[in-house]
Amino acid sequence: MSDSPRVVGVCGSLRDGSHTRTALERALREAERFGATTALVDLRAHELPVFDPDDRDAGDADRLREKLRGADAIVLGSPMYHGSYAGPLKNAMDYCGFDEFEGTTVGLLSVSGGRFPTTTLEHLRSVCRALDAWVLPHQAAVPAASEKIEAGEIVDDGIEKRVATLGQRVVEYANIEPDPPTFQSEENVGADD
């Protein structure tokens, strides 16, 4: 592993008081504690119109891709919306492709107001596999977020430990040798379309 792997967190929530951002920042602090340099990509600060394949460079697309290409590991954080991940994160990922994700370690984080955001994690894992990312087996979920996060801090010890472990694991596996391409990526012709 390099002396200081670069870990980039992408926040898929646009809310000012986002619980997703709080959890993602906690994971990034733990990554720093384990020797990484970190950066947060806050999608609120990026102009990304709805993805149009005829205008792949719209708005801040180049700036977004540049931030992700320099990462040894990426942590994707999203609230659960209607059983999946948030539209802003989907839109941002549509501007990206193999150049940003192939062979890159990815950690997954999901937050919900309800009980358990598992489908969000499953959908993100599927998309990342289609881009040949190496997705960590460990993932973090924050169910019933308004009960688990107060004043910008995770107050549930078990959830806090899972989120911190995610930050640790992205550092430990930041430079893992990538696997051969997945079947999903070989069939993902839209990424190069």
Side-chain angles (χ1 to χ4, degrees), residues 117-132:
T118 54
T119 54
T120 301
L121 297 167
E122 292 167 5
H123 294 175
L124 282 169
R125 183 173 299 279
S126 180
V127 170
C128 291
R129 286 184 49 80
L131 292 170
D132 265 339

Side-chain angles (χ1 to χ4, degrees), residues 85-99:
Y85 59 104
L89 183 57
K90 171 66 169 130
N91 191 53
M93 291 181 72
D94 284 345
Y95 277 102
C96 299
F98 289 105
D99 289 344

Side-chain angles (χ1 to χ4, degrees), residues 36-90:
T37 59
T38 66
L40 175 66
V41 173
D42 190 337
L43 294 178
R44 295 177 306 166
H46 289 72
E47 179 194 333
L48 293 170
V50 173
F51 179 69
D52 176 353
D54 291 330
D55 191 7
R56 292 176 178 271
D57 298 324
D60 294 327
D62 285 337
R63 187 171 73 128
L64 171 69
R65 288 189 293 257
E66 182 180 326
K67 289 178 181 180
L68 295 180
R69 281 187 195 136
D72 296 301
I74 297 170
V75 182
L76 298 175
S78 179
M80 181 173 78
Y81 289 164
H82 304 301
S84 192
Y85 59 104
L89 183 57
K90 171 66 169 130

Side-chain angles (χ1 to χ4, degrees), residues 12-173:
S13 173
L14 302 182
R15 292 183 65 187
D16 287 337
S18 167
H19 293 318
T20 302
R21 191 173 302 103
T22 295
L24 191 55
E25 289 170 341
R26 176 62 185 100
L28 292 176
R29 284 195 308 275
E30 193 70 8
E32 287 176 359
R33 195 170 83 78
F34 277 85
T37 59
T38 66
L40 175 66
V41 173
D42 190 337
L43 294 178
R44 295 177 306 166
H46 289 72
E47 179 194 333
L48 293 170
V50 173
F51 179 69
D52 176 353
D54 291 330
D55 191 7
R56 292 176 178 271
D57 298 324
D60 294 327
D62 285 337
R63 187 171 73 128
L64 171 69
R65 288 189 293 257
E66 182 180 326
K67 289 178 181 180
L68 295 180
R69 281 187 195 136
D72 296 301
I74 297 170
V75 182
L76 298 175
S78 179
M80 181 173 78
Y81 289 164
H82 304 301
S84 192
Y85 59 104
L89 183 57
K90 171 66 169 130
N91 191 53
M93 291 181 72
D94 284 345
Y95 277 102
C96 299
F98 289 105
D99 289 344
E100 292 74 31
F101 283 93
E102 186 173 30
T104 302
T105 299
V106 175
L108 303 177
L109 169 70
S110 180
V111 174
S112 75
R115 286 292 142 212
F116 204 70
T118 54
T119 54
T120 301
L121 297 167
E122 292 167 5
H123 294 175
L124 282 169
R125 183 173 299 279
S126 180
V127 170
C128 291
R129 286 184 49 80
L131 292 170
D132 265 339
W134 193 85
V135 186
L136 288 172
H138 178 82
Q139 56 193 12
V142 182
S146 63
E147 300 169 13
K148 310 285 196 258
I149 297 175
E150 297 174 7
E153 296 294 326
I154 301 172
V155 296
D156 180 285
D157 290 342
I159 298 294
E160 197 280 336
K161 184 174 182 178
R162 286 196 67 77
V163 171
T165 299
L166 182 65
Q168 177 184 344
R169 294 289 184 259
V170 292
V171 175
E172 291 172 343
Y173 293 98

